[in-house]
Amino acid sequence: MDDRLKDRSTAGLTNYDSFFAAALARLRAERRYRVFADLERIVGRFPFAIWHSPQGPREVVIWCSNDYLGMGQHPKVVRAMVEMAARVGTGAGGTRNISGTSRQLVELERELADLHGKAAALVFTSGYVSNQTGISTIAKLIPDCLILSDADNHNSMIEGIRQAGAEKRIFRHNDVGHLEALLQAEDVRRPKLIVFESLYSMGGDVAPVGRICDLADRYGAMTYLDEVHAVGMYGPRGAGVAARDGAASRIDVVEGTLAKAFGCLGGYIAGSATLIDAVRSCAPGFIFTTALPPAICAAATAAIRHLKVSPHERDRQQDRARRVKAALHAAGLPVMLSDTHIVPVLIADPEKCKAASDLLLSEYGIYIQPINYPTVPKGTERLRITPGPFHEDALIDQLVEALVEVWARLDLQREDWVHAAE
């Protein structure tokens, strides 16, 4: 205990650290305390990385990265970032209002607007901020707005809805019948905003985008679609699920990230010029935040431009995902159903989920982070595998062999149990 805490304790004053210690104790008791792996990626060797373990550094294979296509190490992207940093420096210098907007950020927003077929786009410091700020600002600008939100929406969307202070209705996950019932109960003239994701990242399930757009048209609602886990991954140019399904023009606001398939950092929304200008002008989470550095903007633009014309990474990644799913099924491991690049393997026990992750890393050199509550509901704890284009057949075979051994060592449930539970 440091001297200040001792002095407070002796004087009978509040020991503030005790509150924080109690919060940590609760997390540990609920098996929700998170431990980060100290990893160092290796340019040109993805998915390999160096794990700086307590016993010293060792090479491991990453199987749960959201850099889905390895674009964070693509030569074009790395070169764009390095060259721009050498040319203009590292930082943005402040907010866009104070320091001006870098040319690279202007070009990035034009590239994003073109990607989604919208009039304009606005870049934020992260995907979380773009949802939190975008949703709350849009809803606040619409008088008497009613928000209708999918029950499985991401925390960033939930926070945006909460901060909006608008009335809300929650519809059951991907249940268009329930959504329509909620819409029917409202005056058709009341402004409404339907907020949902295209691809839900913990289970890999996809929203019925077209059917939700049908309801929005019928009941006079706006649509706000989170494509964070789909941009770069789906559609002929990587614009996401809505583009793949021919519904992109029916979405009023699309939100995405630069930090996953595009391999960089930042988030954005795209929509009409008026809407984007209104958010730009009114959103505190945008106005008072330092802009993305030019080097990051240049790298993100390079990644987007490459994936607009190159389907190779997407095709290869989907091939790898199919092979992993088939191999896991053949081994009798409990793969949760998914038609996407997300491959969840059910464990349904928080302690065993953490134990499985620890064993894979320490004894097999395989890094897969455990997914426990509150990220997923209690009783659905899982390992979330994201095969990438650089996971070769030999690595897939090693993964499956390791998982089979871990399942046996921890006496985990097999695939037949999962199907019986369904």
Side-chain angles (χ1 to χ4, degrees):
M1 184 183 297
D2 66 36
D3 291 341
R4 290 183 73 234
L5 292 180
K6 285 181 181 178
D7 292 343
R8 283 177 179 164
S9 179
T10 302
L13 300 176
T14 301
N15 177 3
Y16 291 98
D17 257 8
S18 66
F19 302 127
F20 310 132
L24 292 172
R26 287 193 296 271
L27 289 175
R28 289 189 173 95
E30 296 169 4
R31 304 298 185 265
R32 295 199 288 125
Y33 182 76
R34 299 169 190 245
V35 178
F36 298 152
D38 185 350
L39 298 174
E40 182 179 351
R41 302 208 304 176
I42 308 167
V43 171
R45 296 200 60 213
F46 189 73
F48 291 96
I50 301 299
W51 173 41
H52 294 273
S53 74
Q55 291 73 40
R58 57 176 291 196
E59 188 173 89
V60 298
V61 180
I62 298 176
W63 274 100
C64 57
S65 175
N66 282 346
D67 185 0
Y68 294 130
L69 303 178
M71 291 302 293
Q73 302 195 18
H74 193 285
K76 288 182 182 178
V77 179
V78 174
R79 184 167 58 250
M81 178 175 283
V82 171
E83 290 178 355
M84 189 56 63
R87 200 177 102 200
V88 304
T90 57
T95 68
R96 293 169 73 171
N97 181 56
I98 291 174
S99 297
T101 294
S102 72
R103 184 63 190 171
Q104 292 70 37
L105 189 41
V106 171
E107 291 176 355
L108 173 58
E109 288 177 339
R110 287 176 179 168
E111 203 70 41
L112 289 165
D114 173 77
L115 176 67
H116 293 290
K118 302 300 182 186
L122 189 67
V123 168
F124 297 81
T125 51
S126 74
Y128 194 102
V129 174
S130 60
N131 267 335
Q132 184 184 45
T133 299
I135 293 170
S136 62
T137 303
I138 291 167
K140 284 178 179 178
L141 293 174
I142 302 173
D144 194 30
C145 181
L146 174 68
I147 301 176
L148 299 108
S149 174
D150 188 286
D152 282 8
N153 276 342
H154 189 264
N155 177 266
S156 60
M157 305 174 81
I158 294 169
E159 280 299 302
I161 293 167
R162 184 184 65 81
Q163 291 181 18
E167 190 176 0
K168 68 176 184 293
R169 303 277 187 273
I170 309 301
F171 61 93
R172 290 185 293 271
H173 178 52
N174 279 350
D175 188 335
V176 292
H178 188 213
L179 174 59
E180 181 162 26
L182 294 174
L183 288 165
Q184 285 176 333
E186 300 295 328
D187 187 333
V188 71
R189 294 167 296 183
R190 183 180 187 182
K192 295 171 283 291
L193 179 66
I194 303 173
V195 179
F196 64 111
E197 298 181 45
S198 66
L199 195 162
Y200 292 83
S201 63
M202 291 300 120
D205 48 327
V206 175
V209 178
R211 294 168 66 195
I212 291 176
C213 289
D214 290 342
L215 293 179
D217 292 343
R218 190 176 308 151
Y219 295 97
M222 281 184 64
T223 49
Y224 181 107
L225 178 63
D226 177 316
E227 290 259 33
V228 159
H229 292 274
V231 290
M233 304 293 297
Y234 298 91
R237 299 197 305 158
V241 169
R244 182 198 67 180
D245 295 350
S249 63
R250 306 179 69 190
I251 298 297
D252 293 297
V253 186
V254 60
E255 184 268 347
T257 185
L258 306 169
K260 293 181 170 58
F262 295 131
C264 294
L265 176 71
Y268 63 89
I269 60 172
S272 72
T274 304
L275 181 146
I276 295 299
D277 195 18
V279 174
R280 179 192 70 85
S281 303
C282 300
F286 172 81
I287 294 170
F288 299 106
T289 299
T290 298
L292 283 188
I296 291 177
C297 297
T301 300
I304 295 164
R305 286 174 177 169
H306 176 80
L307 291 175
K308 280 181 177 179
V309 298
S310 174
H312 168 73
E313 291 82 3
R314 289 189 285 277
D315 293 344
R316 173 70 174 172
Q317 197 270 347
Q318 291 292 328
D319 173 79
R320 299 292 83 192
R322 284 191 295 269
R323 194 183 190 285
V324 169
K325 290 175 186 177
L328 293 172
H329 277 302
L333 293 166
V335 185
M336 300 171 71
L337 296 177
S338 163
D339 293 326
T340 64
H341 61 284
I342 308 294
V343 185
V345 185
L346 185 66
I347 292 181
D349 181 286
E351 292 189 51
K352 289 187 175 183
C353 193
K354 179 67 166 62
S357 175
D358 290 344
L359 273 175
L360 287 167
L361 183 59
S362 63
E363 299 193 21
Y364 298 91
I366 291 172
Y367 175 64
I368 308 175
Q369 183 70 2
I371 306 297
N372 289 345
Y373 177 83
T375 306
V376 294
K378 292 179 180 178
T380 69
E381 294 82 8
R382 67 199 66 176
L383 298 179
R384 175 183 175 272
I385 300 169
T386 55
F390 304 107
H391 285 106
E392 303 292 346
D393 288 355
L395 294 179
I396 295 173
D397 293 340
Q398 291 169 13
L399 170 69
V400 175
E401 290 171 9
L403 287 172
V404 168
E405 291 184 19
V406 167
W407 246 247
R409 291 173 64 175
L410 297 178
D411 191 28
L412 296 172
Q413 302 284 2
R414 306 286 289 200
E415 188 174 37
D416 54 356
W417 171 81
V418 174
H419 291 162
E422 290 174 350

